[in-house]
Amino acid sequence: MLPGIGLFGTGPVVKVLVPILLENGFKIEAIWCQTRQNAQEAAKELKIPFFTDTIDEVLLRKDVDLIFVLCPPNLHAQISVKALGIGKHVVCDKPAGLNQADALKMVGAGQYYPTLISLINHSFRFLPAFIQMKKALKENYLQSPITLIDIRIQSGGLFNDSDTFDWKCDDRMGGGTLNLIGSHVVDLITFLTGQRAVKVHGVVRTFTKNTNNINGIRNISAPDFCTFQMELQNGILVTATLNSHTVGSTFNQDVMICSSTGHLVVRGGDLFGRRNKGNEEVLYLDVEDLKCPVPNSILPKTFVKGLCKMVSALREAFLPNNEKEGWIKEPVQAAATFEDGLYVQAVLSAIRESSQTRQWVKVKVLTEQPDKNELLSAVVRRTAITIS
């Protein structure tokens, strides 16, 4: 029997996720939002029987066994840790909290309850083109070691003139291109290569600081452009350019993996390859229709398709043949874990530091909670740099 779902959040991802969950046979029992009115409106629109602005009223429901945390990042750790502690499975949106300290709390909770699912929503891992790219690498399509990975993503403007100020406008609250898109990119590199970054160098910028509705005391601090380089453990160089400063453009992504004898490249949802000085060939075409009723959305089609595939894997995880202890996680073993989320936070933190210092920065993954004085000093330094 599939678990009942509790949703935290009412944003665009929720509006896309609900039809996907229903198509896969899940029942959505409750939805939460920070304001009761928004929760009520979302429940009415999405036909969800229970709504609330109190976190525990969702977590403590007996008919809710799987939690989707799709609210602002400052609440990710609080809700995820509490949900796991009372025996609920958790899928948390990216990034894992606001920082490494938040992510480390989530890792600890996930390790303490190992029989429960605890995943980060990095849905690109389930996009067929990237699965095929990983398979081609494993089968030695390039015939020589990887030397360079080049990623270019153009996603249009982050904000419309009708948008009002919220957490997505504030870098310190988890908004911006680096968090919302860069987290996917950092995780995708590890998924494809099995390698992690040793050091990074980055430039992070906020070009659009005001819109028609956001032009008072509070300005946009969330970056709409970033470019960064990562040196992986085995010496592979990664270059990434993420541009959300292109008003009116559609989402475009190119992910190219190069060697001395050829390359593999995902353009949109299609995979192409070239080797031994031959012509570029089609290795996978995304001709499959989305097999779920998805409403019009600002979310990219590649993200939605990956989300569809991830929910399908979740459904398989909870089928009767997977009820035996330890089997439940097998269908979602390719998904990003809380440990992956902690690593991604470490890389994002290093990129921000590099942008401020204009130097290469080593990636340091926390293994224990930071000293409060050190954490306060870091916040003060960051604030001072932002103000100046």
Side-chain angles (χ1 to χ4, degrees):
M1 183 176 178
L2 296 179
I5 304 290
L7 297 175
F8 285 86
T10 58
V13 178
V14 172
K15 304 293 176 62
V16 169
L17 177 64
V18 167
I20 297 173
L21 289 170
L22 294 176
E23 181 70 12
N24 278 272
F26 289 97
K27 186 177 180 181
I28 302 163
E29 304 289 355
I31 188 168
W32 170 96
C33 186
Q34 287 178 300
T35 62
R36 190 171 184 83
Q37 181 180 350
N38 288 345
Q40 183 177 13
E41 291 173 355
K44 182 179 180 180
E45 177 185 349
L46 301 171
K47 297 180 174 58
I48 298 173
F50 178 81
F51 65 89
T52 182
D53 59 354
T54 303
I55 291 173
D56 286 355
E57 288 184 359
V58 175
L59 295 181
L60 296 176
R61 288 181 65 93
K62 293 182 179 180
D63 56 0
V64 169
D65 291 301
L66 173 58
I67 299 294
F68 277 82
V69 185
L70 304 166
C71 53
N74 63 301
L75 294 171
H76 286 183
Q78 176 188 341
I79 296 173
S80 297
V81 170
K82 199 167 191 178
L84 289 169
I86 57 178
K88 313 289 185 179
H89 302 282
V90 175
V91 178
C92 182
D93 205 11
K94 79 315 166 190
L98 282 176
N99 46 47
Q100 283 199 76
D102 277 0
L104 194 58
K105 293 176 185 176
M106 296 167 65
V107 169
Q111 292 175 342
Y112 197 78
Y113 303 99
T115 60
L116 297 173
I117 285 177
S118 53
L119 306 176
I120 300 294
N121 178 26
H122 284 303
S123 57
F124 279 174
R125 287 180 174 232
F126 290 87
L127 190 67
F130 289 129
I131 293 175
Q132 293 299 320
M133 176 180 264
K134 183 173 183 177
K135 181 181 177 183
L137 290 172
K138 187 175 181 180
E139 294 175 351
N140 200 30
Y141 177 90
L142 295 179
Q143 299 178 335
S144 60
I146 299 171
T147 53
L148 174 68
I149 301 176
D150 184 50
I151 299 174
R152 300 175 186 274
I153 296 179
Q154 183 174 292
S155 57
L158 284 180
F159 307 103
N160 299 317
D161 285 340
S162 59
D163 290 337
T164 57
F165 190 93
D166 63 9
W167 68 269
K168 294 185 290 294
C169 302
D170 193 328
D171 179 43
R172 290 168 295 183
M173 294 177 67
T177 297
L178 180 60
N179 275 331
L180 301 181
I181 301 176
S183 57
H184 278 305
V185 170
V186 173
D187 178 76
L188 180 63
I189 295 302
T190 301
F191 171 71
L192 292 173
T193 67
Q195 297 289 316
R196 290 188 168 188
V198 176
K199 58 183 179 179
V200 301
H201 184 277
V203 176
V204 182
R205 292 287 183 270
T206 303
F207 291 117
T208 302
K209 298 183 180 181
N210 300 102
T211 66
N212 287 343
N213 279 353
I214 308 172
N215 57 10
I217 298 175
R218 295 184 296 185
N219 296 321
I220 297 171
S221 63
D224 51 16
F225 175 85
C226 62
T227 182
F228 57 87
Q229 296 81 44
M230 304 193 302
E231 185 177 309
L232 304 187
Q233 293 162 323
N234 59 359
I236 296 173
L237 180 65
V238 178
T239 65
T241 300
L242 316 178
N243 184 3
S244 299
H245 187 58
T246 49
V247 178
S249 64
T250 58
F251 184 91
N252 292 295
Q253 67 174 12
D254 277 28
V255 178
M256 178 176 285
I257 299 180
C258 303
S259 76
S260 59
T261 56
H263 68 255
L264 289 162
V265 57
V266 169
R267 300 188 184 104
D270 305 323
L271 174 64
F272 304 88
R274 179 184 179 184
R275 57 184 175 181
N276 297 328
K277 299 181 181 180
N279 295 325
E280 191 171 82
E281 58 182 329
V282 177
L283 301 181
Y284 173 81
L285 280 180
D286 185 11
V287 296
E288 180 187 48
D289 291 330
L290 289 173
K291 296 180 179 179
C292 51
V294 178
N296 292 330
S297 172
I298 62 173
L299 300 179
K301 182 180 179 181
T302 50
F303 173 85
V304 175
K305 173 159 281 190
L307 192 60
C308 274
K309 297 293 184 181
M310 188 179 75
V311 171
S312 179
L314 276 171
R315 179 182 181 277
E316 185 180 346
F318 288 105
L319 291 178
N321 61 328
N322 285 318
E323 287 182 351
K324 182 178 177 181
E325 184 175 347
W327 288 19
I328 191 171
K329 293 188 178 182
E330 289 187 9
V332 290
Q333 62 183 354
T337 64
F338 283 1
E339 287 85 353
D340 293 317
L342 174 62
Y343 159 71
V344 169
Q345 281 285 16
V347 175
L348 298 183
S349 176
I351 291 171
R352 292 189 194 96
E353 182 181 344
S354 173
S355 183
Q356 294 167 356
T357 62
R358 302 183 181 182
Q359 297 177 344
W360 282 86
V361 174
K362 290 184 178 179
V363 176
K364 299 177 182 178
V365 180
L366 289 181
T367 56
E368 58 183 19
Q369 289 293 342
D371 178 84
K372 289 184 179 180
N373 291 330
E374 292 181 2
L375 192 60
L376 179 60
S377 298
V379 171
V380 171
R381 287 196 304 271
R382 185 176 174 187
T383 304
I385 292 172
T386 301
I387 293 174
S388 62

mmCIF file of all heavy atoms in Angstrom, residues 244-271:
data_model
loop_
_atom_site.group_PDB
_atom_site.id
_atom_site.type_symbol
_atom_site.label_atom_id
_atom_site.label_comp_id
_atom_site.label_asym_id
_atom_site.label_seq_id
_atom_site.Cartn_x
_atom_site.Cartn_y
_atom_site.Cartn_z
ATOM 1 N N SER A 244 20.675 33.437 -15.431
ATOM 2 C CA SER A 244 19.247 33.730 -15.254
ATOM 3 C C SER A 244 18.976 35.213 -15.466
ATOM 4 O O SER A 244 17.996 35.752 -14.958
ATOM 5 C CB SER A 244 18.799 33.310 -13.852
ATOM 6 O OG SER A 244 18.979 31.932 -13.652
ATOM 7 N N HIS A 245 19.863 35.848 -16.203
ATOM 8 C CA HIS A 245 19.752 37.291 -16.463
ATOM 9 C C HIS A 245 19.381 37.521 -17.926
ATOM 10 O O HIS A 245 19.912 38.399 -18.607
ATOM 11 C CB HIS A 245 21.079 37.980 -16.130
ATOM 12 C CG HIS A 245 21.024 39.468 -16.209
ATOM 13 N ND1 HIS A 245 20.149 40.231 -15.472
ATOM 14 C CD2 HIS A 245 21.745 40.356 -16.949
ATOM 15 C CE1 HIS A 245 20.330 41.511 -15.755
ATOM 16 N NE2 HIS A 245 21.284 41.623 -16.644
ATOM 17 N N THR A 246 18.476 36.685 -18.435
ATOM 18 C CA THR A 246 18.064 36.777 -19.839
ATOM 19 C C THR A 246 16.542 36.813 -19.881
ATOM 20 O O THR A 246 15.890 35.781 -19.914
ATOM 21 C CB THR A 246 18.581 35.570 -20.644
ATOM 22 O OG1 THR A 246 18.264 34.362 -19.917
ATOM 23 C CG2 THR A 246 20.072 35.645 -20.838
ATOM 24 N N VAL A 247 15.983 37.981 -19.849
ATOM 25 C CA VAL A 247 14.533 38.164 -19.769
ATOM 26 C C VAL A 247 13.847 37.595 -21.006
ATOM 27 O O VAL A 247 14.247 37.865 -22.145
ATOM 28 C CB VAL A 247 14.179 39.654 -19.611
ATOM 29 C CG1 VAL A 247 12.668 39.848 -19.570
ATOM 30 C CG2 VAL A 247 14.830 40.216 -18.362
ATOM 31 N N GLY A 248 12.817 36.785 -20.793
ATOM 32 C CA GLY A 248 12.005 36.282 -21.891
ATOM 33 C C GLY A 248 12.531 35.029 -22.565
ATOM 34 O O GLY A 248 11.834 34.430 -23.381
ATOM 35 N N SER A 249 13.753 34.593 -22.252
ATOM 36 C CA SER A 249 14.294 33.405 -22.905
ATOM 37 C C SER A 249 13.782 32.147 -22.227
ATOM 38 O O SER A 249 13.344 32.164 -21.083
ATOM 39 C CB SER A 249 15.822 33.426 -22.874
ATOM 40 O OG SER A 249 16.276 33.358 -21.534
ATOM 41 N N THR A 250 13.829 31.039 -22.945
ATOM 42 C CA THR A 250 13.408 29.751 -22.409
ATOM 43 C C THR A 250 14.593 29.013 -21.810
ATOM 44 O O THR A 250 15.748 29.401 -21.990
ATOM 45 C CB THR A 250 12.777 28.890 -23.518
ATOM 46 O OG1 THR A 250 13.733 28.724 -24.585
ATOM 47 C CG2 THR A 250 11.524 29.551 -24.054
ATOM 48 N N PHE A 251 14.305 27.918 -21.115
ATOM 49 C CA PHE A 251 15.348 27.143 -20.459
ATOM 50 C C PHE A 251 16.129 26.337 -21.498
ATOM 51 O O PHE A 251 15.557 25.607 -22.304
ATOM 52 C CB PHE A 251 14.719 26.196 -19.444
ATOM 53 C CG PHE A 251 15.720 25.419 -18.632
ATOM 54 C CD1 PHE A 251 16.188 25.906 -17.422
ATOM 55 C CD2 PHE A 251 16.188 24.185 -19.071
ATOM 56 C CE1 PHE A 251 17.101 25.194 -16.671
ATOM 57 C CE2 PHE A 251 17.105 23.464 -18.328
ATOM 58 C CZ PHE A 251 17.562 23.973 -17.121
ATOM 59 N N ASN A 252 17.445 26.489 -21.480
ATOM 60 C CA ASN A 252 18.326 25.722 -22.365
ATOM 61 C C ASN A 252 19.493 25.190 -21.547
ATOM 62 O O ASN A 252 20.055 25.916 -20.719
ATOM 63 C CB ASN A 252 18.871 26.591 -23.502
ATOM 64 C CG ASN A 252 17.791 27.009 -24.475
ATOM 65 O OD1 ASN A 252 17.215 26.171 -25.155
ATOM 66 N ND2 ASN A 252 17.503 28.298 -24.535
ATOM 67 N N GLN A 253 19.858 23.928 -21.792
ATOM 68 C CA GLN A 253 20.994 23.359 -21.085
ATOM 69 C C GLN A 253 21.865 22.552 -22.036
ATOM 70 O O GLN A 253 21.373 21.819 -22.890
ATOM 71 C CB GLN A 253 20.524 22.467 -19.931
ATOM 72 C CG GLN A 253 19.802 21.209 -20.362
ATOM 73 C CD GLN A 253 19.486 20.294 -19.198
ATOM 74 O OE1 GLN A 253 19.597 20.683 -18.050
ATOM 75 N NE2 GLN A 253 19.084 19.064 -19.485
ATOM 76 N N ASP A 254 23.170 22.736 -21.902
ATOM 77 C CA ASP A 254 24.168 21.937 -22.605
ATOM 78 C C ASP A 254 25.144 21.404 -21.567
ATOM 79 O O ASP A 254 25.783 22.188 -20.852
ATOM 80 C CB ASP A 254 24.941 22.799 -23.619
ATOM 81 C CG ASP A 254 24.197 22.943 -24.932
ATOM 82 O OD1 ASP A 254 22.953 22.879 -24.903
ATOM 83 O OD2 ASP A 254 24.850 23.120 -25.965
ATOM 84 N N VAL A 255 25.244 20.094 -21.498
ATOM 85 C CA VAL A 255 26.187 19.452 -20.580
ATOM 86 C C VAL A 255 27.116 18.587 -21.420
ATOM 87 O O VAL A 255 26.707 17.558 -21.960
ATOM 88 C CB VAL A 255 25.462 18.600 -19.520
ATOM 89 C CG1 VAL A 255 26.472 17.901 -18.622
ATOM 90 C CG2 VAL A 255 24.508 19.462 -18.697
ATOM 91 N N MET A 256 28.373 19.028 -21.560
ATOM 92 C CA MET A 256 29.328 18.329 -22.430
ATOM 93 C C MET A 256 30.462 17.732 -21.615
ATOM 94 O O MET A 256 31.063 18.416 -20.779
ATOM 95 C CB MET A 256 29.898 19.284 -23.483
ATOM 96 C CG MET A 256 30.941 18.649 -24.391
ATOM 97 S SD MET A 256 31.528 19.756 -25.708
ATOM 98 C CE MET A 256 30.126 19.733 -26.822
ATOM 99 N N ILE A 257 30.752 16.459 -21.870
ATOM 100 C CA ILE A 257 31.873 15.760 -21.247
ATOM 101 C C ILE A 257 32.885 15.429 -22.335
ATOM 102 O O ILE A 257 32.549 14.763 -23.318
ATOM 103 C CB ILE A 257 31.408 14.476 -20.536
ATOM 104 C CG1 ILE A 257 30.410 14.826 -19.424
ATOM 105 C CG2 ILE A 257 32.596 13.710 -19.962
ATOM 106 C CD1 ILE A 257 29.884 13.618 -18.665
ATOM 107 N N CYS A 258 34.119 15.899 -22.173
ATOM 108 C CA CYS A 258 35.137 15.780 -23.218
ATOM 109 C C CYS A 258 36.283 14.876 -22.787
ATOM 110 O O CYS A 258 36.646 14.807 -21.609
ATOM 111 C CB CYS A 258 35.710 17.157 -23.557
ATOM 112 S SG CYS A 258 34.485 18.374 -24.069
ATOM 113 N N SER A 259 36.865 14.214 -23.782
ATOM 114 C CA SER A 259 38.137 13.503 -23.611
ATOM 115 C C SER A 259 39.001 13.824 -24.816
ATOM 116 O O SER A 259 38.583 14.562 -25.714
ATOM 117 C CB SER A 259 37.906 11.988 -23.508
ATOM 118 O OG SER A 259 37.628 11.434 -24.782
ATOM 119 N N SER A 260 40.191 13.264 -24.872
ATOM 120 C CA SER A 260 41.087 13.539 -26.003
ATOM 121 C C SER A 260 40.621 12.861 -27.284
ATOM 122 O O SER A 260 41.119 13.178 -28.372
ATOM 123 C CB SER A 260 42.514 13.074 -25.665
ATOM 124 O OG SER A 260 42.520 11.681 -25.380
ATOM 125 N N THR A 261 39.651 11.943 -27.182
ATOM 126 C CA THR A 261 39.204 11.200 -28.363
ATOM 127 C C THR A 261 37.763 11.475 -28.754
ATOM 128 O O THR A 261 37.277 10.914 -29.740
ATOM 129 C CB THR A 261 39.369 9.682 -28.137
ATOM 130 O OG1 THR A 261 38.645 9.299 -26.951
ATOM 131 C CG2 THR A 261 40.830 9.312 -27.980
ATOM 132 N N GLY A 262 37.048 12.317 -27.983
ATOM 133 C CA GLY A 262 35.659 12.569 -28.346
ATOM 134 C C GLY A 262 34.905 13.302 -27.256
ATOM 135 O O GLY A 262 35.497 13.829 -26.316
ATOM 136 N N HIS A 263 33.573 13.314 -27.401
ATOM 137 C CA HIS A 263 32.756 13.966 -26.384
ATOM 138 C C HIS A 263 31.361 13.351 -26.326
ATOM 139 O O HIS A 263 30.895 12.705 -27.273
ATOM 140 C CB HIS A 263 32.649 15.479 -26.648
ATOM 141 C CG HIS A 263 31.852 15.814 -27.874
ATOM 142 N ND1 HIS A 263 32.430 16.225 -29.045
ATOM 143 C CD2 HIS A 263 30.508 15.828 -28.111
ATOM 144 C CE1 HIS A 263 31.503 16.463 -29.951
ATOM 145 N NE2 HIS A 263 30.317 16.227 -29.406
ATOM 146 N N LEU A 264 30.711 13.561 -25.196
ATOM 147 C CA LEU A 264 29.296 13.277 -25.010
ATOM 148 C C LEU A 264 28.631 14.582 -24.614
ATOM 149 O O LEU A 264 29.194 15.357 -23.841
ATOM 150 C CB LEU A 264 29.082 12.237 -23.900
ATOM 151 C CG LEU A 264 29.490 10.801 -24.183
ATOM 152 C CD1 LEU A 264 29.617 10.025 -22.876
ATOM 153 C CD2 LEU A 264 28.472 10.124 -25.099
ATOM 154 N N VAL A 265 27.423 14.844 -25.134
ATOM 155 C CA VAL A 265 26.758 16.094 -24.789
ATOM 156 C C VAL A 265 25.252 15.883 -24.697
ATOM 157 O O VAL A 265 24.645 15.255 -25.562
ATOM 158 C CB VAL A 265 27.092 17.214 -25.815
ATOM 159 C CG1 VAL A 265 26.714 16.814 -27.229
ATOM 160 C CG2 VAL A 265 26.410 18.517 -25.420
ATOM 161 N N VAL A 266 24.675 16.385 -23.615
ATOM 162 C CA VAL A 266 23.219 16.425 -23.463
ATOM 163 C C VAL A 266 22.766 17.831 -23.793
ATOM 164 O O VAL A 266 23.198 18.800 -23.163
ATOM 165 C CB VAL A 266 22.781 16.032 -22.032
ATOM 166 C CG1 VAL A 266 21.298 16.345 -21.830
ATOM 167 C CG2 VAL A 266 23.047 14.556 -21.774
ATOM 168 N N ARG A 267 21.906 17.943 -24.808
ATOM 169 C CA ARG A 267 21.292 19.218 -25.173
ATOM 170 C C ARG A 267 19.802 19.095 -24.911
ATOM 171 O O ARG A 267 19.118 18.318 -25.571
ATOM 172 C CB ARG A 267 21.555 19.562 -26.638
ATOM 173 C CG ARG A 267 23.032 19.686 -26.995
ATOM 174 C CD ARG A 267 23.224 20.210 -28.420
ATOM 175 N NE ARG A 267 24.637 20.246 -28.781
ATOM 176 C CZ ARG A 267 25.218 19.352 -29.577
ATOM 177 N NH1 ARG A 267 24.500 18.365 -30.114
ATOM 178 N NH2 ARG A 267 26.517 19.437 -29.848
ATOM 179 N N GLY A 268 19.331 19.849 -23.927
ATOM 180 C CA GLY A 268 17.942 19.679 -23.519
ATOM 181 C C GLY A 268 17.760 18.304 -22.912
ATOM 182 O O GLY A 268 18.349 17.983 -21.886
ATOM 183 N N GLY A 269 16.954 17.473 -23.556
ATOM 184 C CA GLY A 269 16.751 16.104 -23.073
ATOM 185 C C GLY A 269 17.309 15.056 -24.004
ATOM 186 O O GLY A 269 16.975 13.865 -23.882
ATOM 187 N N ASP A 270 18.175 15.446 -24.956
ATOM 188 C CA ASP A 270 18.744 14.523 -25.943
ATOM 189 C C ASP A 270 20.242 14.324 -25.701
ATOM 190 O O ASP A 270 20.932 15.240 -25.252
ATOM 191 C CB ASP A 270 18.539 15.049 -27.367
ATOM 192 C CG ASP A 270 17.074 15.353 -27.669
ATOM 193 O OD1 ASP A 270 16.218 14.597 -27.202
ATOM 194 O OD2 ASP A 270 16.810 16.358 -28.362
ATOM 195 N N LEU A 271 20.731 13.147 -26.050
ATOM 196 C CA LEU A 271 22.147 12.817 -25.872
ATOM 197 C C LEU A 271 22.812 12.569 -27.221
ATOM 198 O O LEU A 271 22.301 11.805 -28.047
ATOM 199 C CB LEU A 271 22.295 11.565 -24.994
ATOM 200 C CG LEU A 271 23.716 11.012 -24.827
ATOM 201 C CD1 LEU A 271 24.604 12.020 -24.092
ATOM 202 C CD2 LEU A 271 23.695 9.677 -24.079
#
